[in-house]
Amino acid sequence: MENGKSRLQQAQDDVEEVKGIMLDNMNKADERGDKLNDLEDRADELLEKSKTFEKTTRKLKQKYKGTRKLVFISVGVVAALIIIGLIIFAIV
């Protein structure tokens, strides 16, 4: 009977040990789930911010597209005036 009791006690101890390990694993899995949810929320927020950034850059590109053409034309006119001025100065 003594041997049977010790075997039963050993089995109960083993069950308690496995129970502790299982509870620890469940807590860790729950923590990972929380972290994954936080990460997913941050990813969604980043996606929204990137969409806003893309819209803003498109608007700025369109706004300054005309300005860029104007700058190129102005530089061309100034360069042409300088060349004409040098030619006139060389002739006189």
Side-chain angles (χ1 to χ4, degrees):
M1 195 67 169
E2 184 67 34
N3 191 18
K5 227 178 193 182
S6 67
R7 285 178 55 191
L8 178 61
Q9 185 63 40
Q10 180 63 36
Q12 286 177 338
D13 291 344
D14 290 345
V15 167
E16 288 300 317
E17 181 182 355
V18 169
K19 181 180 171 184
I21 293 170
M22 293 283 287
L23 287 174
D24 187 45
N25 287 342
M26 288 174 57
N27 288 336
K28 287 179 182 177
D30 189 40
E31 288 175 9
R32 279 193 302 271
D34 291 342
K35 288 179 182 179
L36 285 173
N37 287 337
D38 290 343
L39 184 60
E40 185 177 1
D41 291 342
R42 289 171 53 197
D44 289 341
E45 183 180 335
L46 186 59
L47 179 62
E48 287 302 314
K49 287 182 179 181
S50 70
K51 287 179 181 178
T52 303
F53 178 76
E54 183 180 11
K55 288 177 185 177
T56 303
T57 57
R58 281 187 185 158
K59 286 179 184 178
L60 285 174
K61 183 178 179 182
Q62 290 298 321
K63 181 179 178 181
Y64 290 110
K65 190 174 185 180
T67 305
R68 188 172 56 190
K69 286 180 184 178
L70 183 61
V71 168
F72 285 133
I73 291 171
S74 299
V75 168
V77 168
V78 169
L81 289 174
I82 290 173
I83 292 172
I84 292 171
L86 289 174
I87 291 172
I88 291 173
F89 181 73
I91 294 174
V92 175

